[in-house]
Amino acid sequence: MRWEKAVADGLASGVCHAFGIFDTTLCGIQEAGMSPSDYLWLPEREDACGACRKAASLIDSRWPRSMRSEDARVSVARRL
Protein backbone atom coordinates (compact mmCIF):
# COMPACT_ATOMS: atom_id res chain seq x y z
CA MET A 1 0.00 0.00 0.00
CA ARG A 2 1.49 3.29 -1.00
CA TRP A 3 -0.51 6.48 -0.73
CA GLU A 4 0.47 10.13 -0.60
CA LYS A 5 0.57 12.01 2.69
CA ALA A 6 -2.21 14.58 3.16
CA VAL A 7 -1.17 18.14 3.91
CA ALA A 8 -3.38 20.96 5.18
CA ASP A 9 -3.08 23.73 7.74
CA GLY A 10 -5.92 22.28 9.86
CA LEU A 11 -4.52 18.78 10.33
CA ALA A 12 -3.26 17.96 13.82
CA SER A 13 0.45 17.33 14.17
CA GLY A 14 1.68 13.95 15.34
CA VAL A 15 -0.66 11.91 13.13
CA CYS A 16 0.04 11.25 9.47
CA HIS A 17 -3.03 10.92 7.22
CA ALA A 18 -3.37 9.48 3.73
CA PHE A 19 -4.80 11.78 1.07
CA GLY A 20 -8.05 10.61 -0.47
CA ILE A 21 -10.00 12.89 -2.80
CA PHE A 22 -11.99 16.12 -2.63
CA ASP A 23 -9.99 17.72 0.21
CA THR A 24 -10.50 14.63 2.39
CA THR A 25 -8.23 12.11 4.07
CA LEU A 26 -8.97 8.40 3.74
CA CYS A 27 -10.41 8.48 7.27
CA GLY A 28 -12.83 11.30 6.34
CA ILE A 29 -11.22 14.46 7.72
CA GLN A 30 -12.03 17.33 5.39
CA GLU A 31 -10.01 20.54 5.26
CA ALA A 32 -10.23 23.30 2.67
CA GLY A 33 -7.12 23.39 0.53
CA MET A 34 -5.94 19.90 1.49
CA SER A 35 -3.69 18.31 -1.09
CA PRO A 36 -1.37 15.34 -1.51
CA SER A 37 2.24 15.99 -0.65
CA ASP A 38 5.28 14.84 -2.57
CA TYR A 39 5.88 12.29 0.19
CA LEU A 40 4.43 8.83 0.56
CA TRP A 41 2.07 7.93 3.38
CA LEU A 42 3.20 4.56 4.68
CA PRO A 43 0.77 2.53 6.81
CA GLU A 44 3.56 0.80 8.71
CA ARG A 45 4.88 4.04 10.21
CA GLU A 46 4.20 4.55 13.88
CA ASP A 47 2.44 7.90 13.37
CA ALA A 48 0.11 6.63 10.59
CA CYS A 49 -3.58 7.20 11.28
CA GLY A 50 -5.23 3.88 12.17
CA ALA A 51 -8.48 4.73 10.38
CA CYS A 52 -6.57 5.74 7.22
CA ARG A 53 -4.63 2.47 7.49
CA LYS A 54 -7.87 0.47 7.65
CA ALA A 55 -9.43 2.34 4.70
CA ALA A 56 -6.24 2.01 2.61
CA SER A 57 -6.12 -1.71 3.28
CA LEU A 58 -9.72 -2.17 2.16
CA ILE A 59 -9.26 -0.06 -0.99
CA ASP A 60 -5.93 -1.67 -1.90
CA SER A 61 -7.38 -5.17 -1.49
CA ARG A 62 -9.74 -4.39 -4.38
CA TRP A 63 -6.94 -3.52 -6.81
CA PRO A 64 -5.46 -6.18 -9.11
CA ARG A 65 -2.53 -7.91 -7.44
CA SER A 66 -0.10 -6.44 -10.01
CA MET A 67 -1.12 -2.95 -8.85
CA ARG A 68 -0.38 -3.74 -5.19
CA SER A 69 3.38 -4.14 -5.40
CA GLU A 70 5.72 -2.14 -3.20
CA ASP A 71 6.42 0.23 -6.10
CA ALA A 72 2.74 0.83 -6.87
CA ARG A 73 1.65 4.34 -5.93
CA VAL A 74 -1.92 5.48 -5.60
CA SER A 75 -2.25 9.04 -6.76
CA VAL A 76 -5.00 11.45 -7.67
CA ALA A 77 -4.73 14.55 -9.81
CA ARG A 78 -2.28 16.87 -8.11
CA ARG A 79 -3.25 20.49 -7.67
CA LEU A 80 -0.82 23.02 -9.04
Side-chain angles (χ1 to χ4, degrees):
M1 292 186 291
R2 300 296 176 255
W3 292 75
E4 292 164 330
K5 180 180 175 183
V7 291
D9 291 335
L11 288 176
S13 62
V15 178
C16 187
H17 294 277
F19 184 77
I21 56 170
F22 305 119
D23 299 334
T24 306
T25 64
L26 289 183
C27 67
I29 297 171
Q30 188 169 22
E31 292 287 337
M34 184 182 299
S35 63
S37 75
D38 291 332
Y39 301 100
L40 293 177
W41 174 85
L42 303 171
E44 59 271 10
R45 287 195 176 157
E46 194 172 303
D47 65 346
C49 169
C52 283
R53 185 182 295 129
K54 187 174 181 179
S57 179
L58 177 65
I59 293 166
D60 289 350
S61 71
R62 296 176 181 169
W63 283 75
R65 188 158 297 284
S66 63
M67 299 284 289
R68 290 188 250 159
S69 72
E70 190 170 308
D71 295 329
R73 183 171 180 167
V74 176
S75 181
V76 296
R78 184 178 307 278
R79 289 192 183 114
L80 299 176

